[in-house]
């Protein structure tokens, strides 16, 4: 029996995790679930899975959750805040932590899971983009395992040898990261500034949370994923090629020195990478239908258009610069995306704000968690200042 904590249980990834878990009651037991504010959804999940702990980040909602659980899940203890999240991530009886909080808010509990030697199923790419070096050190020192559930990284993981340690030793020539190109791949460039949050969130292939949906529309998501891949697989940005593949059937590829290319294919459904990582190295059913390759009929590929997707160019540049550049990239992007979702800025201003923050901020080598958090905070303040200039 694998004992699980799900950080971000009420989100798109969290719901998919619980769907897979509910198919295998003999294999998985839920220890704890968490949410930001959606206590009604969390209470329904607690009723079904009867966890020992439920954590609501927003302290003002803790009493609401307690009341909701009184009759339906009396054995569940309610905790709140960042201490609650870190407790359920590091508690000794937990085997596996699913890191599915969106954004920098996921960093501390995910880091706690790493330090405590857990098996971590990582969806929260932002924490790795912010604190890659610190996070990977914590995974190694804690003695745990990091398994990616971001579909591309999970695909790459599946295409690498099981004893993979180093790209060179394993004969890897390059990693090919595929991207759908999002909802605006074919839109004329002049119309991009007028797109609405709902249009940006209407992804052609995947149903996801609103922040990552906007990131997919700007292709910042692929830039964050490039940085994520560098840390997980120990490669440099130059060893990763991003290609647009609108059908999202190939989830990424690995090319070897002999010219072989291994790819992982499947329907675009997050339950596949989630089931893979939950049961790894075994295979379990996920509820995902077989890929009908005859019906899919064709797979298209094109180079990303960096004029249309300036966020991708900015992310590649930040990856190459390294040091605190990815922290500033991620923080300014989170602030800009939030402002776009609130209709305070235009879609095309997201990349402008990220570019301004990156050019203004002093890039340093962040040697501690405090230094990372400081750079994150300063980048956010700068982004807010630029947004106020637009208002
Ligand atoms: P979502 O918005 O649907 O869910 C986010 C979850 O995090 C919710 O449970 C929410 O309650 C919680 N949360 C939000 N802010 C929080 C805070 N400040 N403190 C504590 N909890 C907070 O997002 P999602 O689409 O499920 O994405 C989650 C993460 O997974 C992101 O990092 C995203 O990039 C990554 N990811 C998602 C997908 C996908 O298909 N949705 C695919 C790959 C990677
Ligand atoms: Mg992805």
């Amino acid at each position: 029996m694998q004992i699980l904590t799900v950080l971000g249980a009420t989100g798109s990834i969290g719901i998919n995790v619980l769907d897979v878990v509910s198919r295998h009651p003999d294999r998985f037991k839920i220890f704890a679930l968490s949410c930001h504010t959606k206590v009604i959804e969390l209470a329904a999940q607690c009723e079904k899975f009867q966890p020992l702990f439920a954590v609501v980040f927003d302290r003002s909602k803790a009493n609401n959750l307690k009341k909701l659980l009184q009759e339906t899940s009396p054995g569940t203890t309610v905790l709140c805040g960042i201490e609650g999240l870190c407790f359920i991530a590091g508690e000794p009886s937990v085997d596996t932590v699913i890191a599915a909080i969106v954004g920098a808010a996921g960093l501390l509990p995910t880091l706690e899971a790493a330090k405590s030697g857990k098996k971590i199923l990582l969806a929260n790419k932002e924490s790795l983009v912010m604190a890659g070096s610190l996070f990977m050190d914590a995974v190694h020192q804690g003695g745990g395992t990091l398994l990616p559930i971001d579909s591309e990284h999970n695909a790459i993981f599946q295409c690498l040898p099981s004893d993979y340690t180093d790209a060179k030793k394993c004969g890897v020539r390059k990693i090919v990261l595929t991207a759908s190109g999002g909802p605006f791949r074919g839109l004329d460039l002049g119309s991009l500034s007028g797109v609405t949050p709902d249009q940006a969130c209407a992804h052609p292939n995947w149903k996801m949370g609103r922040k990552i949906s906007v990131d997919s529309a700007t292709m910042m998501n692929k830039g964050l994923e490039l940085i994520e891949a560098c840390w997980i697989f120990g490669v440099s940005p130059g060893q990763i090629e991003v290609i647009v593949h609108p059908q999202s059937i190939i989830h990424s590829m690995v090319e070897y020195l002999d010219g072989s290319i291994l790819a992982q294919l499947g329907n675009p459904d997050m339950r596949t990478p989630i089931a893979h990582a939950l049961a790894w190295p075994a295979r379990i059913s996920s509820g995902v239908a077989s890929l009908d390759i005859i019906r899919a009929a064709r797979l298209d590929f094109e180079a990303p258009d960096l004029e249309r997707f300036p966020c991708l160019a900015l992310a590649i540049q930040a990856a190459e610069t390294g040091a605190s550049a990815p922290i500033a990239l991620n923080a300014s992007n989170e602030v800009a995306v939030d402002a776009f979702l609130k209709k305070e800025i235009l879609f095309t201003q997201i990349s402008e704000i990220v570019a301004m923050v990156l050019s203004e901020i002093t890039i340093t080598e962040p040697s501690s968690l405090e230094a990372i958090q400081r750079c994150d905070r300063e980048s956010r303040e700068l982004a807010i200042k630029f947004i106020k200039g637009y208002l």
Side-chain angles (χ1 to χ4, degrees):
M1 191 59 90
Q2 217 182 120
I3 311 295
L4 313 178
T5 279
V6 186
L7 300 169
T10 53
S12 160
I13 291 285
I15 290 169
N16 278 308
V17 167
L18 294 178
D19 181 281
V20 176
V21 165
S22 66
R23 292 165 194 275
H24 303 279
D26 52 324
R27 279 180 173 266
F28 307 113
K29 171 117 191 65
I30 300 289
F31 173 82
L33 298 172
S34 88
C35 76
H36 185 204
T37 53
K38 290 186 172 174
V39 288
I40 295 180
E41 285 86 343
L42 190 68
Q45 293 178 336
C46 289
E47 182 173 2
K48 183 162 177 195
F49 293 97
Q50 299 287 317
L52 280 178
F53 292 93
V55 180
V56 50
F57 182 74
D58 182 344
R59 292 172 196 284
S60 69
K61 299 269 163 66
N63 276 336
N64 296 8
L65 184 60
K66 277 184 196 157
K67 273 187 207 131
L68 288 166
L69 295 182
Q70 248 161 24
E71 285 185 6
T72 56
S73 188
T76 303
T77 302
V78 173
L79 303 175
C80 58
I82 192 69
E83 316 82 64
L85 292 176
C86 289
F87 170 77
I88 60 170
E91 214 276 345
S93 52
V94 174
D95 302 309
T96 300
V97 173
I98 294 99
I101 291 176
V102 59
L107 176 61
L108 291 181
T110 310
L111 205 51
E112 186 63 32
K115 286 183 192 156
S116 311
K118 305 300 184 198
K119 171 173 152 183
I120 301 173
L121 269 53
L122 186 76
N124 176 222
K125 64 194 87 183
E126 296 93 340
S127 62
L128 202 53
V129 169
M130 282 176 81
S133 174
L134 194 86
F135 186 79
M136 295 310 289
D137 283 351
V139 171
H140 294 135
Q141 279 161 20
T145 316
L146 180 63
L147 295 171
I149 53 174
D150 206 346
S151 58
E152 297 77 3
H153 305 73
N154 184 268
I156 295 161
F157 182 82
Q158 294 196 46
C159 295
L160 288 170
S162 56
D163 59 353
Y164 177 84
T165 46
D166 178 281
K168 232 186 197 156
K169 279 192 203 138
C170 295
V172 172
R173 186 186 277 158
K174 68 176 177 194
I175 286 174
V176 181
L177 201 57
T178 54
S180 68
F184 306 137
R185 189 176 56 89
L187 194 72
D188 64 283
L189 284 179
S191 307
L192 267 184
S193 59
V195 300
T196 64
D198 284 346
Q199 286 171 318
C201 291
H203 195 279
N205 306 333
W206 302 93
K207 207 184 159 319
M208 310 178 287
R210 284 172 83 78
K211 193 264 176 180
I212 185 178
S213 295
V214 175
D215 284 349
S216 299
T218 61
M219 280 191 81
M220 178 59 91
N221 184 49
K222 213 47 55 180
L224 298 176
E225 289 185 354
L226 182 139
I227 301 170
E228 181 187 9
C230 288
W231 287 115
I232 296 179
F233 303 113
V235 295
S236 61
Q239 290 171 286
I240 302 176
E241 184 185 4
V242 173
I243 61 167
V244 173
H245 162 48
Q247 292 91 353
S248 299
I249 286 176
I250 293 183
H251 298 129
S252 279
M253 307 185 244
V254 176
E255 183 179 329
Y256 289 88
L257 290 173
D258 61 5
S260 299
I261 297 179
L262 301 191
Q264 186 260 359
L265 284 73
N267 281 320
D269 187 320
M270 289 309 292
R271 291 176 301 175
T272 295
I274 288 167
H276 171 265
L278 274 174
W280 180 83
R283 294 272 180 178
I284 56 170
S285 62
S286 63
V288 177
S290 280
L291 170 65
D292 185 343
I293 200 121
I294 307 271
R295 195 156 161 257
R298 54 182 286 175
L299 303 174
D300 294 304
F301 305 98
E302 62 195 42
D305 172 354
L306 295 182
E307 192 192 344
R308 176 182 297 275
F309 300 115
C311 281
L312 176 60
L314 289 166
I316 294 172
Q317 205 187 322
E320 281 162 357
T321 306
S324 61
I327 308 174
L329 175 93
N330 178 66
S332 56
N333 180 60
E334 282 191 27
V335 172
V337 169
D338 188 52
F340 168 68
L341 285 171
K342 290 180 180 147
K343 300 193 177 170
E344 292 170 356
I345 60 165
L346 301 174
F347 181 76
T348 42
Q349 289 171 333
I350 297 174
S351 63
E352 291 174 18
I353 287 161
V354 174
M356 289 193 289
V357 170
L358 279 170
S359 67
E360 189 96 347
I361 203 123
T362 312
I363 304 297
T364 54
E365 192 64 60
S367 51
S368 64
L369 180 60
E370 292 67 36
I372 291 169
Q373 288 172 319
R374 194 178 325 116
C375 177
D376 176 78
R377 202 170 46 244
E378 285 169 6
S379 306
R380 282 170 199 270
E381 285 164 6
L382 210 47
I384 290 167
K385 195 177 106 191
F386 289 130
I387 289 168
K388 283 194 177 143
Y390 281 130
L391 293 176

